[in-house]
Amino acid sequence: MKVTTPRLTQHVLTGRTTGEPVLFVHGNVSSSAFWRDSLAALPEGYRPLAVDLRGFGETDPEPVDATRGLRDYSDDVLELIEALDLDGVHLVGWSLGGGVVLQALRDRPAAVRSLTLVNPISPYGFGGTEGHDGHLTHPDGAGSGAGAANQDFVARLKAGDMSDESPTSPRNVLRSSYVKNPAVPDEDFYLRAMLTTRVGEAHYPGDPATSDAWPHVAPGKLGVLNAIAPTHFRLDDLHEITPKPPILWIRGADDVIVSDTSLFDLAHLGTLGAVPGSPGTPAQPMVSQTRAVLERYGRYREAVIDDCGHSPHIEHPQTFLRLLAAHLREA
């Protein structure tokens, strides 16, 4: 269905129309379609919904003001909750969507009954930080932002490439990075969802900027990768909110995207020699940063799924639904 609010028109997948609302928020370079099977399998007593974020799927491609961090996305989600009169919503966010729902929780905790994070980005953004406290490697956020994107992948995404002729084709990125084991059921279905991503300076990856510091890229002011740069998105004070709904953190043990040694982090690629000129900048400890923030928050549980990459709901759907259903019941 389509829901029009003062901000934009959002596309929402729905299931049954009664029960406690559970709103699923997808990750980067994907859409609500990645939640298709999770919506269908959600137990009785819950009302499943999954939204396309702006610039993905069938939601309006309004530009993303990256200087607001993820608030363009989270404000859209909070307005959708109001428009649908969802009282006490359970939020589920995967990857980028994990950051979006954390921001929504930070800004309006009373609207959230529970939170589930699925391989979420770090509360200190993506790239450009060190240590469990997420301190900036350089004041300008060097190492993060749109300039960190693989340009061949961006070009193939824009062209709607469905081939497997290159390691950087969307199909091969799905096989190598979204999941641990490349035999993805309904691969073309998920690939087409990836290809709904709007490509450009206002969306993915955003407007690039340069830095005098290695690796000579820094966050710009527009688009999704700049929105998750640590100069724009930081959640140092999540532990200060009231009330504190329970948080479940589900992650795949073998994730190569959100990791303490992420293959998408230029600093880590520099230590591997894949990006030349590295001065020895350490990798961003993304998982450890998330754990540090949630430890301060206090009311959370971490569940690790073995033999699983970045997408537990796709790779191990039964285990994912069991963990989620138990969390919803407890909340």
Side-chain angles (χ1 to χ4, degrees):
M1 68 177 178
K2 293 290 184 74
V3 180
T4 299
T5 69
R7 295 176 62 81
L8 76 173
T9 296
Q10 303 181 63
H11 175 248
V12 183
L13 291 181
T14 61
R16 70 179 69 87
T17 57
T18 59
E20 296 178 16
V22 184
L23 179 58
F24 295 82
V25 183
H26 64 83
N28 198 7
V29 191
S30 65
S31 78
S32 61
F34 272 72
W35 295 116
R36 177 195 63 179
D37 295 344
S38 299
L39 265 65
L42 201 66
E44 292 286 340
Y46 299 101
R47 176 187 176 188
L49 309 101
V51 63
D52 285 336
L53 298 173
R54 62 171 61 197
F56 299 94
E58 298 178 40
T59 287
D60 286 351
E62 296 298 313
V64 176
D65 179 357
T67 66
R68 302 186 70 235
L70 290 176
R71 280 192 169 95
D72 272 1
Y73 297 118
S74 62
D75 285 353
D76 291 345
V77 169
L78 290 170
E79 198 167 77
L80 176 67
I81 289 170
E82 289 183 358
L84 294 177
D85 195 24
L86 304 180
D87 183 32
V89 65
H90 301 278
L91 290 178
V92 183
W94 167 50
S95 193
L96 168 70
V100 173
V101 299
L102 277 172
Q103 187 67 65
L105 173 65
R106 168 62 186 83
D107 292 343
R108 202 174 302 173
V112 182
R113 183 171 299 184
S114 77
L115 198 76
T116 302
L117 303 172
V118 186
N119 291 63
I121 62 168
S122 165
Y124 299 109
F126 200 99
T129 68
E130 302 175 21
H132 295 182
D133 62 350
H135 65 273
L136 292 169
T137 303
H138 299 283
D140 64 354
S144 65
N150 182 289
Q151 293 306 306
D152 189 63
F153 173 73
V154 174
R156 290 176 179 276
L157 188 68
K158 184 176 182 179
D161 180 12
M162 294 189 68
S163 76
D164 60 359
E165 65 183 17
S166 166
T168 56
S169 70
R171 185 182 297 276
N172 280 328
V173 170
L174 171 65
R175 292 173 176 174
S176 65
S177 304
Y178 282 43
V179 297
K180 179 183 179 182
N181 300 299
V184 182
D186 295 335
E187 182 178 85
D188 281 1
F189 173 80
Y190 294 113
L191 179 58
R192 290 189 181 96
M194 293 171 67
L195 295 177
T196 67
T197 303
R198 307 313 196 277
V199 177
E201 291 194 344
H203 294 291
Y204 182 86
D207 62 320
T210 59
S211 173
D212 291 335
W214 184 91
H216 308 298
V217 296
K221 296 181 178 181
L222 295 169
V224 60
L225 293 191
N226 295 321
I228 59 175
T231 49
H232 301 317
F233 173 70
R234 295 179 71 83
L235 288 172
D236 293 289
D237 58 351
L238 189 68
H239 60 286
E240 297 179 2
I241 67 169
T242 303
K244 288 187 173 67
I247 296 176
L248 171 63
W249 174 23
I250 302 173
R251 64 181 182 87
D254 305 305
D255 189 359
V256 299
I257 297 178
V258 176
S259 167
D260 285 357
T261 52
S262 169
L263 296 180
F264 288 69
D265 176 15
L266 292 183
H268 181 57
L269 292 176
T271 65
L272 296 177
V275 178
S278 170
T281 303
Q284 178 188 3
M286 301 176 186
V287 172
S288 299
Q289 289 174 350
T290 297
R291 187 176 295 115
V293 167
L294 293 180
E295 286 286 349
R296 290 199 300 274
Y297 182 84
R299 196 180 181 192
Y300 90 100
R301 184 166 70 93
E302 178 180 354
V304 182
I305 301 177
D306 292 332
D307 192 35
C308 182
H310 189 60
S311 310
H313 53 300
I314 304 297
E315 300 174 75
H316 295 275
Q318 293 181 340
T319 302
F320 170 76
L321 260 297
R322 176 178 55 79
L323 291 167
L324 176 60
H327 180 57
L328 298 178
R329 286 194 303 269
E330 292 167 5

